[in-house]
Amino acid sequence: MHMIHVFALVSILPLALCVIKDVVYIVDRSGSIQERHFDEAVEFIYNVTEFLTIDEQNLKVSVMTFSSDNRLDIAFDSYTNKTELLQKINNLKGTITNGNTQTGMAINYTQSTILTTGKGARSGAEVAVIVMTDGQSSGYPKPETEADNLRADGADVFSLGIGSALSASNAELKGIASDPDSYYLLYVSSFVYLCNLVPDLVPKLESNIAATLLSDCPEDPVVAEMDYTSTHQELSTAEATRHPEQQTTDAVTEMVQNTSLVLAPVDPNFGSSAVIWDQSIAAFITTTALLFLKNILN
């Protein structure tokens, strides 16, 4: 009968499922946004980050704000732990909003300046960029073109539209977002409703984390009236091809939940106890090892 140590199984799993990812928020602070609304955008970023695993082996977060100019407010290398990062995010409240909406310039700045090793970005890390804005961009370069350039470097780009000047069908938002739009394009009708997007965005940034809706989060009446039937069908089809790693992770999770680990009698070669290696555990370890190798190769 084959036996393995419990600690070997436990130690392999975290290594296999962790994903090194650099996340950048590009946040509009133009003059069309009231400062209290900007604070609500900051609160949204804070609430999302609270759920994420922040460290060198998992996710790191950077925040830049833009209007007529670009400003790197939080670099990847400007904090050493999650507590420090959350404090830096909270300190962004009270930011003065003014100027134009130079979204394309901000996305270009993100690629050329923020996503560099000089600003703490990690070589080989996955990249997710979230563009948050309340209106159409002004001037050049075009944000759609700059978002395409980010995607050419392997980044996933989310567009998050806020307010009545935009909509979920806005052409610019769709051009910024990666495909499918039903996954990468987010929308709320007002800043106060951003809290509704926390449970949606968190697992898209870290697939094994589930976020809960805040108890005091008001429902967005505009979004609540939208019919998402067709978009959900589009998502299921597109996700099957675009995110196979998520399907693998789900399968591994289900296997762990359905697998019973039975303590065997004492074996002189393995100490006081060991785990019986049945076929289901063998399949689990094989899948885990494949995921571990995939992370190394990527």
Side-chain angles (χ1 to χ4, degrees):
M1 181 176 292
H2 298 283
M3 298 183 180
I4 59 170
H5 286 298
V6 175
F7 74 83
L9 183 62
V10 173
S11 62
I12 292 174
L13 181 58
L15 289 172
L17 297 184
C18 71
V19 175
I20 298 177
K21 181 179 291 186
D22 290 340
V23 178
V24 183
Y25 287 92
I26 302 176
V27 188
D28 188 348
R29 57 172 163 81
S30 60
S32 60
I33 300 175
Q34 296 181 36
E35 290 172 16
R36 65 185 178 89
H37 289 159
F38 182 88
D39 289 351
E40 288 170 331
V42 172
E43 187 69 19
F44 167 73
I45 297 171
Y46 185 100
N47 290 335
V48 170
T49 306
E50 275 197 307
F51 285 99
L52 303 177
T53 308
I54 304 296
D55 58 42
E56 287 292 336
Q57 285 71 48
N58 290 277
L59 275 67
K60 299 209 74 176
V61 172
S62 179
V63 181
M64 69 88 65
T65 58
F66 73 95
S67 58
S68 300
D69 64 326
N70 301 311
R71 185 170 70 212
L72 175 55
D73 296 276
I74 303 174
F76 291 117
D77 58 1
S78 64
Y79 53 90
T80 59
N81 55 57
K82 184 173 180 176
T83 301
E84 289 181 11
L85 171 60
L86 288 172
Q87 185 59 57
K88 284 181 175 291
I89 293 172
N90 198 55
N91 288 345
L92 293 177
K93 291 181 178 178
T95 293
I96 296 173
T97 56
N98 54 34
N100 298 321
T101 309
Q102 298 281 357
T103 312
M105 187 171 65
I107 298 173
N108 178 280
Y109 178 82
T110 296
Q111 183 175 26
S112 64
T113 304
I114 299 176
L115 290 169
T116 63
T117 54
K119 298 298 182 184
R122 295 166 292 182
S123 178
E126 295 184 12
V127 175
V129 176
I130 301 100
V131 181
M132 300 176 62
T133 183
D134 77 327
Q136 289 285 125
S137 64
S138 53
Y140 289 90
K142 293 182 65 176
E144 302 97 315
T145 302
E146 296 305 319
D148 284 341
N149 292 337
L150 272 178
R151 278 186 283 275
D153 280 351
D156 284 337
V157 185
F158 295 83
S159 61
L160 199 170
I162 309 156
S164 58
L166 297 172
S167 73
S169 60
N170 178 270
E172 186 170 279
L173 289 180
K174 292 166 72 71
I176 293 172
S178 297
D179 291 327
D181 293 339
S182 55
Y183 187 87
Y184 290 100
L185 195 158
L186 310 173
Y187 174 77
V188 289
S189 64
S190 177
F191 284 86
V192 71
Y193 301 126
L194 279 168
C195 52
N196 289 278
L197 298 179
V198 173
D200 188 12
L201 183 58
V202 167
K204 292 176 181 178
L205 298 179
E206 190 171 2
S207 61
N208 60 330
I209 301 294
T212 54
L213 190 67
L214 299 177
S215 59
D216 59 348
C217 182
E219 184 180 48
D220 187 338
V222 175
V223 174
E225 293 176 2
M226 294 179 179
D227 181 7
Y228 283 111
T229 303
S230 60
T231 28
H232 285 168
Q233 291 173 344
E234 175 195 353
L235 174 58
S236 15
T237 301
E239 285 301 282
T241 56
R242 184 172 177 82
H243 297 286
E245 72 279 3
Q246 178 61 51
Q247 297 176 54
T248 305
T249 301
D250 291 343
V252 171
T253 302
E254 183 178 357
M255 188 181 296
V256 174
Q257 292 172 343
N258 295 334
T259 300
S260 298
L261 301 182
V262 182
L263 290 178
V266 174
D267 183 281
N269 296 321
F270 290 91
S272 60
S273 65
V275 177
I276 296 175
W277 190 0
D278 61 21
Q279 289 183 344
S280 58
I281 297 177
F284 164 65
I285 294 172
T286 301
T287 305
T288 303
L290 289 173
L291 282 167
F292 179 57
L293 289 173
K294 175 180 178 294
N295 282 336
I296 294 177
L297 293 173
N298 290 341

